[in-house]
Amino acid sequence: MVAAALRLFLKSQGGGEEKVYDIEAPSVVVGRDPEAGIAVDDRTLSRRHCRIYLGQDGWRLTDLGSRNGTFLNGRLILDELLEGGDRIEIGETHMAVFLPGDDERGGHREALEAIVEESSSHRRHADARREIRALTRLMELNEKINALKDEDQLLAGVLDAAIELTDASRGFLLLKQADHFVVRRARLPHRRDLDDAEASLSVSVATRVIQEGRSILAENALADERFDGLASIANLQLRSLLCVPMRSLGEVLGALYLDNPHERGTFDGWDVRVLESFAVLASIAIRNARQRKEMAVRRREAVRQARRIERLNDRLKKALRIRTNALRRAREELAKQADELGLKYTYDQIVGRSPAMAQVLRLADRITDLKIPVLIVGESGTGKELLARAIHFNGPRRRHRLVGENCAAIPENLMESEFQGYERGAFTGANRDHAGLFEQAHQGTLFLDEVGEMSPDLQKKFLRVLEEGEVRRLGGKAPIPVDFRLVSATNRDLGALLASGGFREDLYYRIAGVVIELPPLREHSEDVAPLVAHFLRELGESARGLRIEPTALDLLVAYEWPGNVRELRNEVQRLVALQVGGDVRPEHLSPRILAYRPPDTSRAPPCGLRGLVEDLERRVIRASLLRHGWNKSRSAAELGLSRLGLRKKLERWGLDAEQPAKPGRGSGSGS
């Protein structure tokens, strides 16, 4: 079927010249696009607003998804058949339709005037319908962009929707990153990416919108006074421009920047309102996407940490099983040793089961359950405090306190207040009541180290407490009953002190119910190797892999150890701290150990009283020199000799030859 040509009479609501179009082509597009068949300079139109085409039943009008809709005789239509005299309204443009054969005789003017007269009513209805369409479209777009989980896809979707809503020719989405904003997406219509985004927009305009938080609309940016002096506007030759901030929870996340470099008046106030509403929805979607991403990262981190904790737990369980098994074996070994030695208790903190130590432990085992006071004597560093703790924690008072004090560490003028306690106001500085050591040890054990350092006055008061079983605080009137087990220790010769009057005889018999003498390490050197192994285990990870070579261990066993177990512990700690490697060789040991020469046992033992005395004198002098690092002045003072007298004895006994060589200039001692 061949239909006759269609004639359109066109006029804008704002006035202007009336135009006439004779349509003979089978299809023609009407819109703001300069390439359209009927190009109309009306900013309220879409670029491709509607189409008039020849169908099988005649000329028809169809809407092309325009922003403001297409109206035929006052009705919003999608696709309708045209008849002569029909009135078409698109945006602010009105058209009258006449077919050949219709008697115009000015009818088109009447039709156009009727359209103009009704335009106000139609405009109100059109605006309402436009808002409804926009709201519907916003809801559709919001649902669509919220369905996008990936942030990059979401940003592209947001920008595509903004271009579609405003019929823009280009779009840019800027987001905050650290302390500045960057272009995250740049798009063209029909979901196409725009290359060289940074050079295609006015950064100054976008920055102003973001900083001020207010939208900017320009019908012709080149002629807009607000942009005078902006080189980017002139360089890009920008016309239509619309930029709105993206806000969420009171914070500006970025901006939506849309423009049309070639046409003026592309955007109007309605576009601003719609795009601002859309920007709010888009900001919420972006923030939600970021929160989802952050939560996903946290979940992954939580899973990673949970797996790490699980691995650590497995390692801890394994280590615990190993340690538990080792502890069980150690206890079994101790129990076995206790059975072999005939002991009732285990002494796991006391390493060494040599005959000398076995004798000490058997004696301690017999008196542990008794209330009798114990005096432990022995050289410094032999483990007197360890034995005192074993007696307490194996005994019947183990559920109560073990109170320990070194008598040599308390100033003499404070001894009485520390032992007896004091009442508030008893002396200057006594701002509260203070229980003394006797009270603190009530029902438990009082361990006094270096008991030989007590002053005579304190010895008298101490004796009275032991005899009466009660103590009176300084500044107090009422006696306080006390019940404790006394364990004392000293490295001094209390017999010599008794003879010189430096220690009360009656107090001695009060504290020395049972005397336990701890042998020096040189008298049970077979315990050196177990002690070294014990100290390495105590040091844990730092000593892992450290091994004492047999030759080095022989030197350790042969050394006299004037500082006893404490000195041996310090030597092991030194080797670990120096990180000598996996194997400890003789050259790694301290110089004093390397320089030590054991006494010549090939000589016949001394005969007679004089020989025994001389041998004892030589051994005592040698032990004193070892204790003081061969410092002759200190040894002479300790032995009660002059330095000259000590030198003569050294020459007499040949001890000068045993003195270790002093390190040369620039070399270290290594200890």
Side-chain angles (χ1 to χ4, degrees):
M1 179 185 69
V2 179
L6 179 72
R7 174 166 289 186
L8 289 178
F9 293 89
L10 184 146
K11 187 174 183 179
S12 174
Q13 181 183 358
E17 182 182 357
E18 178 184 306
K19 296 182 180 179
V20 180
Y21 295 92
D22 288 322
I23 301 175
E24 296 179 352
S27 176
V28 65
V29 174
V30 182
R32 203 178 70 252
D33 192 343
E35 303 296 329
I38 299 179
V40 184
D41 187 14
D42 183 350
R43 64 181 183 179
T44 61
L45 298 187
S46 298
R47 295 174 62 81
R48 294 169 58 84
H49 198 100
C50 61
R51 182 164 65 95
I52 299 173
Y53 68 97
L54 182 61
Q56 293 182 353
D57 52 353
W59 290 98
R60 303 185 67 85
L61 174 66
T62 185
D63 185 76
L64 297 179
S66 62
R67 289 184 295 148
N68 300 328
T70 300
F71 297 87
L72 181 63
N73 298 323
R75 293 182 301 106
L76 181 67
I77 61 99
L78 294 177
D79 189 272
E80 292 286 341
L81 182 67
L82 292 175
E83 297 180 355
D86 282 345
R87 303 189 304 275
I88 300 173
E89 180 183 357
I90 51 174
E92 296 181 353
T93 300
H94 314 284
M95 293 180 287
V97 179
F98 284 91
L99 297 174
D102 292 339
D103 185 9
E104 297 178 16
R105 290 181 298 185
H108 66 279
R109 291 188 177 86
E110 295 176 358
L112 289 174
E113 289 174 2
I115 293 173
V116 173
E117 289 174 0
E118 297 175 4
S119 62
S120 297
S121 175
H122 289 167
R123 174 56 55 194
R124 287 192 297 272
H125 291 296
D127 288 344
R129 284 189 287 270
R130 185 181 185 189
E131 296 290 343
I132 293 172
R133 283 166 60 87
L135 180 60
T136 303
R137 187 62 178 143
L138 284 175
M139 293 175 65
E140 293 173 353
L141 292 173
N142 183 52
E143 183 177 354
K144 186 181 297 183
I145 63 177
N146 276 300
L148 299 173
K149 304 302 181 184
D150 181 74
E151 184 175 350
D152 291 336
Q153 294 180 356
L154 174 62
L155 298 182
V158 166
L159 196 51
D160 290 337
I163 292 173
E164 186 178 341
L165 275 174
T166 58
D167 203 21
S169 62
R170 298 189 310 183
F172 305 85
L173 194 151
L174 296 90
L175 286 181
K176 187 175 183 179
Q177 180 173 314
D179 57 348
H180 62 285
F181 290 84
V182 296
V183 178
R184 289 292 305 274
R185 278 291 179 276
R187 304 277 274 182
L188 297 170
H190 310 300
R191 297 174 175 79
R192 294 175 296 159
D193 285 326
L194 173 64
D195 297 330
D196 197 14
E198 296 287 349
S200 302
L201 82 159
S202 174
V203 177
S204 301
V205 172
T207 302
R208 183 183 302 180
V209 168
I210 292 170
Q211 291 177 346
E212 297 178 358
R214 292 185 299 180
S215 302
I216 287 180
L217 170 66
E219 295 184 0
N220 185 1
L222 278 173
D224 198 316
E225 295 180 354
R226 292 175 298 174
F227 308 133
D228 287 348
L230 292 184
S232 56
I233 298 293
N235 294 337
L236 297 172
Q237 293 292 300
L238 295 179
R239 268 78 175 180
S240 300
L241 189 151
L242 173 58
C243 187
V244 301
M246 300 177 67
R247 291 191 185 89
S248 178
L249 301 178
E251 178 187 2
V252 178
L253 300 181
L256 282 173
Y257 178 104
L258 305 169
D259 69 10
N260 188 331
H262 309 296
E263 295 184 17
R264 296 177 298 173
T266 302
F267 314 112
D268 57 13
W270 183 87
D271 293 305
V272 176
R273 294 195 304 275
V274 171
L275 195 60
E276 286 178 342
S277 300
F278 176 72
V280 173
L281 298 177
S283 300
I284 295 173
I286 292 172
R287 185 178 288 275
N288 290 340
R290 288 179 171 179
Q291 290 177 348
R292 286 194 297 269
K293 182 178 180 181
E294 183 177 351
M295 290 177 63
V297 171
R298 289 181 178 178
R299 282 195 297 269
R300 288 195 296 271
E301 179 64 18
V303 171
R304 190 181 70 82
Q305 291 293 343
R307 291 174 179 171
R308 179 174 177 270
I309 291 173
E310 186 176 354
R311 290 194 300 270
L312 290 175
N313 283 336
D314 291 340
R315 290 171 59 185
L316 288 174
K317 289 178 182 177
K318 183 178 179 181
L320 181 61
R321 284 196 302 270
I322 294 173
R323 289 180 179 270
T324 301
N325 292 334
L327 181 60
R328 177 179 53 79
R329 289 193 298 269
R331 286 176 175 171
E332 291 174 353
E333 182 66 23
L334 287 172
K336 181 180 177 181
Q337 292 178 358
D339 291 340
E340 292 174 352
L341 296 174
L343 299 178
K344 180 167 50 175
Y345 299 108
T346 59
Y347 298 86
D348 51 347
Q349 294 299 315
I350 300 177
V351 179
R353 296 299 182 266
S354 61
M357 289 302 299
Q359 183 178 356
V360 169
L361 296 180
R362 279 194 290 266
L363 178 57
D365 206 62
R366 288 198 296 270
I367 57 91
T368 292
D369 292 335
L370 305 178
K371 195 177 179 180
I372 189 170
V374 179
L375 175 62
I376 305 172
V377 297
E379 294 180 9
S380 178
T382 52
K384 296 187 288 296
E385 183 176 353
L386 279 179
L387 184 59
R389 294 178 65 86
I391 292 172
H392 170 77
F393 287 107
N394 284 334
R397 296 176 181 255
R398 58 182 171 272
R399 298 186 181 278
H400 299 280
R401 293 185 62 185
L402 168 65
V403 179
E405 188 58 73
N406 188 331
C407 297
I410 305 177
E412 187 173 350
N413 59 341
L414 296 179
M415 274 192 175
E416 185 175 0
S417 61
E418 285 300 314
F419 277 94
Q420 295 185 224
Y422 51 83
E423 298 285 341
R424 181 180 179 182
F427 51 84
T428 303
N431 52 13
R432 60 180 177 83
D433 293 345
H434 173 68
L437 295 175
F438 297 131
E439 288 184 66
Q440 294 176 33
H442 184 62
Q443 301 295 324
T445 300
L446 177 62
F447 172 62
L448 296 181
D449 198 7
E450 304 297 345
V451 70
E453 303 297 330
M454 277 190 183
S455 65
D457 185 55
L458 185 60
Q459 291 180 34
K460 181 176 62 176
K461 294 178 180 179
F462 188 24
L463 177 62
R464 186 171 63 249
V465 172
L466 295 179
E467 291 176 342
E468 299 176 359
E470 59 184 23
V471 64
R472 183 177 286 105
R473 293 181 180 178
L474 296 180
K477 297 181 179 179
I480 301 172
V482 290
D483 175 24
F484 54 83
R485 182 177 191 173
L486 179 64
V487 179
S488 307
T490 182
N491 63 358
R492 298 189 64 179
D493 184 357
L494 291 187
L497 287 176
L498 288 172
S500 64
F503 202 85
R504 295 178 63 97
E505 186 175 358
D506 48 1
L507 177 59
Y508 175 79
Y509 293 116
R510 275 286 184 180
I511 67 174
V514 173
V515 178
I516 300 178
E517 184 174 357
L518 279 175
L521 185 56
R522 61 182 172 275
E523 294 182 5
H524 58 107
S525 57
E526 58 266 52
D527 287 330
V528 169
L531 283 167
V532 169
H534 172 71
F535 295 147
L536 290 175
R537 285 194 299 270
E538 273 190 343
L539 293 171
E541 290 293 329
S542 59
R544 183 179 295 276
L546 197 69
R547 190 182 72 89
I548 312 293
E549 286 190 354
T551 52
L553 187 59
D554 290 343
L555 292 176
L556 293 176
V557 173
Y559 184 57
E560 283 201 343
W561 299 109
N564 294 295
V565 178
R566 184 181 295 118
E567 184 183 4
L568 178 59
R569 178 196 292 269
N570 291 341
E571 179 66 17
V572 174
Q573 290 176 339
R574 171 187 168 276
L575 294 173
V576 173
L578 291 179
Q579 293 294 314
V580 298
D583 295 334
V584 175
R585 296 186 294 276
E587 59 266 25
H588 297 136
L589 301 178
S590 296
R592 68 181 185 281
I593 298 175
L594 293 175
Y596 173 72
R597 295 293 180 271
D600 185 6
T601 58
S602 61
R603 293 185 304 172
C607 298
L609 180 60
R610 181 176 179 179
L612 290 173
V613 171
E614 290 176 348
D615 184 66
L616 177 61
E617 182 178 352
R618 184 184 61 80
R619 292 180 55 160
V620 169
I621 292 174
R622 188 174 182 280
S624 177
L625 289 169
L626 286 172
R627 273 197 302 274
H628 295 291
W630 290 87
N631 187 307
K632 297 182 180 63
S633 297
R634 293 180 182 177
S635 293
E638 181 185 61
L639 297 170
L641 300 172
S642 66
R643 183 177 174 86
L644 179 60
L646 177 61
R647 186 187 308 161
K648 289 181 178 180
K649 289 183 180 294
L650 293 180
E651 293 173 354
R652 177 181 179 185
W653 303 121
L655 293 176
D656 276 338
E658 296 185 19
Q659 181 176 356
K662 294 183 179 180
R665 184 179 301 274
S667 62
S669 66
S671 60

